[in-house]
Amino acid sequence: MNYLTLSRILFIAMMINDSIVMIRSAPETRKNAPFPRFFPLSVLVLFVPIVFAINLPEWLAVIAVTGQVVGLGLEIVGEIQLARASSFSVSPLTPVEPQSSGLYRFLENPIYFGILLQFAAWALWMPLLFITVALQYEAFRQGVSAERSELARANFTLRRFDSVLWN
């Protein structure tokens, strides 16, 4: 199996995971999820490398696949940790129990960070996708800002390694 095929499988796994999370979420929380501007177009553009992808040097293909694996791992472990704590929500406005153990000892938002890492790694196969990465990043920054406001009301401050991304 070549790196592009593995990358495509990882992308489909990410999309399935994200779809399951959204389907299992309540409609009222789903409408406040941090979707990027031009969401339908962004999603369509993400599927371009399924059909058309540039040939990457082997070292860059390894980086792309590694980034996707690490990102998917961060996303899934973050979701599991929040689910176990009954604290998972797709909306930054839904009151939840703040986490400060597990991945949350090191990352303020491992799920957003993992998704961005996956998108950036996937975009290496088709640089046009970096537009989608930028739009999603903007949406996540707004989501983290709203989440920080909610946490500030509860006198809880959470700053970790990835916090510089969200400022």
Side-chain angles (χ1 to χ4, degrees), residues 94-120:
T94 305
V96 293
E97 183 66 33
Q99 298 295 302
S100 58
S101 63
L103 280 179
Y104 289 86
R105 270 184 296 186
F106 309 106
L107 298 170
E108 179 178 356
N109 205 313
I111 296 171
Y112 289 172
F113 184 74
I115 292 170
L116 279 178
L117 183 58
Q118 290 174 84
F119 281 1

Side-chain angles (χ1 to χ4, degrees), residues 6-20 50 68 72 75-76 79 118:
L6 184 54
S7 186
R8 286 173 172 154
I9 291 168
L10 288 165
F11 172 74
I12 297 298
M14 176 193 70
M15 295 307 284
I16 290 170
N17 176 61
D18 291 348
S19 297
I20 291 170
I50 294 291
Q68 285 181 270
L72 186 59
E75 180 183 1
I76 290 173
E79 291 167 356
Q118 290 174 84

Side-chain angles (χ1 to χ4, degrees), residues 80-94:
I80 290 170
Q81 181 179 342
L82 290 178
R84 284 185 177 165
S86 299
S87 185
F88 185 79
S89 174
V90 296
S91 170
L93 302 176
T94 305

Side-chain angles (χ1 to χ4, degrees), residues 98 149-156:
S149 296
E150 291 295 318
L151 290 173
R153 290 185 196 153
N155 292 326
F156 192 84

Side-chain angles (χ1 to χ4, degrees), residues 21 29 34 44 46 48 54 70 77 79 112 124 133 142 146 158 162:
V21 166
T29 60
L44 285 175
L46 280 173
V48 168
I54 63 173
V70 170
V77 170
E79 291 167 356
Y112 289 172
L124 291 174
V133 175
Q142 291 172 356
L158 190 65
D162 64 330

Side-chain angles (χ1 to χ4, degrees), residues 125-140:
W125 297 104
M126 181 57 61
L128 171 68
L129 271 62
F130 281 106
I131 295 168
T132 299
V133 175
L135 292 172
Q136 188 63 61
Y137 172 68
E138 177 188 346
F140 282 163

